[in-house]
Amino acid sequence: MRQVTYAPSRYIQGEGEIARLGAYCVQMEAGEAYAIVDPYILSVYGEEIRSSFARETMGLQVREFLGECSLAQVEQIVSELNLDRIGVILGIGGGKTLDTAKAVSHYARLPVILVPTVASTDAPCSAVAVLYSEQGAFDRYLSLRRSPDAVIADTGLIAKAPARLLAAGMGDALSTYFEARACRRSGAVTEAGGAGSIAAFALARACYDTLLQDGPAALKDVRQGRASAQVARIIEANIYLSGIGFESGGLAAAHAIHNGLTVLEECRHMLHGEKVAFATLAQLMLEQAPQEETAAVAGFCREAGLPLTLDQMGLGGVPADKLMAAAAASCAEDGPMKNMPFTVAPQDVYAALLAADRLGRQTEQHC
């Protein structure tokens, strides 16, 4: 089977990068920039962003991101673009802002530069945009023709986001190595459309090692308002290492179980990465992973404040039939559970959720 590895053309990370956006867009040699910007970021950093383009004497149009990342909004923005002048799309903000920019660039056939302002997921580096209905319900995954042309991560800006968001990004990144390992064992086709590469697997492993080494210290620094070297390493792990690792290394049980859990209203208040962290424990239970490995993951979740038990997920009082419904949803035919190196039935997932809960309770008791 062929190997396929996706990655943005450039990944740039450092403090103060938002003030250099104009220079990066000039390097694209692509005409004026059209920026889709998160409202809060626009209110705080709008002048800095505009000044960076003024210094380069480059045209900039700014649109505040409002509403949903929906196909209707994307089509509306595309219809308003002056394609004789606009040469590059710029997305600045959280996940839905960035996905809107990705989708606009896809339909307008323009390059895109993404500027994540939080490190809560690994989506910025991927060649996929998630679209929702106008009411906020999941609509579809939009596969893009290519990865983003550039991803610019301003560590100083990202470090100011709430610590819970950084921890959630760590929870999302926590699954990357274990899912890539499962896909490697099964020979699954990854989200990039081929077998996982050596490069993707190495990045996935580096992601896991970085989380364990620097994660707790990074969270402590963010809570104290410091953009330390540990914070920078975790931002890279959450956004880049995990982004390349999941897309070109593959998804498996952890994200399948996360998808199944989304059918339960009781845990919809949990962030994506928080659910993925607990689902990673469940994947390890499915695999009957070595005790030292499961203990390391559970200990990391405890230190990072990520959910370890069904109670912490908001699922403590959920009847068995509802948990079984989530387990069944995680085994959907078109989902990533098929990438596991063995057949997984809903009953197996149900048992793994209970086993993960028991491990979590034991971990909490031994603290």
Side-chain angles (χ1 to χ4, degrees), residues 69-327:
C69 177
S70 65
L71 183 59
Q73 175 159 207
V74 168
E75 290 177 337
Q76 177 65 33
I77 295 173
V78 171
S79 71
E80 295 173 0
L81 293 177
N82 182 344
L83 296 179
D84 291 331
R85 298 179 61 182
I86 301 300
V88 59
I89 303 298
L90 190 60
I92 310 173
K96 290 189 177 183
T97 304
L98 301 187
D99 275 1
T100 300
K102 284 186 190 180
V104 168
S105 77
H106 176 79
Y107 287 115
R109 294 184 175 271
L110 292 172
V112 65
I113 294 176
L114 301 180
V115 186
T117 56
V118 294
S120 58
T121 75
D122 51 19
C125 290
S126 73
V128 174
V130 182
L131 300 180
Y132 297 84
S133 71
E134 291 296 317
Q135 292 72 41
F138 172 79
D139 177 16
R140 72 191 75 176
Y141 291 111
L142 176 65
S143 295
L144 310 177
R145 281 182 291 277
R146 64 175 189 262
S147 302
D149 295 88
V151 175
I152 315 294
D154 187 323
T155 55
L157 191 159
I158 293 172
K160 294 176 183 176
R164 184 187 176 192
L165 296 178
L166 188 71
M170 290 160 59
D172 195 20
L174 181 63
S175 71
T176 305
Y177 167 64
F178 299 109
E179 293 187 284
R181 183 177 69 180
C183 290
R184 194 174 183 84
R185 290 171 175 171
S186 67
V189 175
T190 72
E191 281 59 40
S197 64
I198 296 170
F201 188 69
L203 291 178
R205 179 70 211 200
C207 179
Y208 178 63
D209 292 342
T210 303
L211 293 177
L212 265 59
Q213 178 178 322
D214 296 311
L219 278 175
K220 181 179 179 180
D221 288 341
V222 164
R223 292 187 181 106
Q224 296 177 356
R226 293 199 302 265
S228 65
Q230 287 88 348
V231 172
R233 287 195 285 270
I234 290 300
I235 290 172
E236 182 180 354
N238 286 6
I239 295 176
Y240 188 77
L241 300 180
S242 184
I244 310 306
F246 100 78
E247 188 167 37
S248 298
L251 299 176
H255 272 78
I257 294 170
H258 161 275
N259 295 345
L261 291 172
T262 63
V263 307
L264 302 178
E265 293 182 6
E266 292 84 351
C267 67
R268 286 183 184 166
H269 65 288
M270 305 297 290
L271 298 175
H272 171 82
E274 292 170 335
K275 287 181 280 192
V276 171
F278 184 72
T280 300
L281 286 174
Q283 174 174 325
L284 294 177
M285 297 299 104
L286 276 175
E287 295 174 317
Q288 298 182 349
Q291 184 177 357
E292 62 183 28
E293 188 171 75
T294 58
V297 172
F300 171 79
C301 289
R302 180 184 59 78
E303 285 192 87
L306 293 164
L308 279 166
T309 66
L310 290 171
D311 276 343
Q312 292 169 354
M313 288 283 290
L315 301 174
V318 170
D321 62 333
K322 292 193 76 172
L323 269 186
M324 182 57 79

Side-chain angles (χ1 to χ4, degrees), residues 25 31-37 42 49-50 53 58-64 77 80-92:
C25 286
E32 293 186 4
Y34 186 95
I36 302 168
V37 189
L42 186 59
I49 293 168
R50 291 186 175 96
F53 282 85
M58 181 177 185
L60 172 67
Q61 295 183 37
V62 175
R63 183 189 183 100
E64 186 176 12
I77 295 173
E80 295 173 0
L81 293 177
N82 182 344
L83 296 179
D84 291 331
R85 298 179 61 182
I86 301 300
V88 59
I89 303 298
L90 190 60
I92 310 173

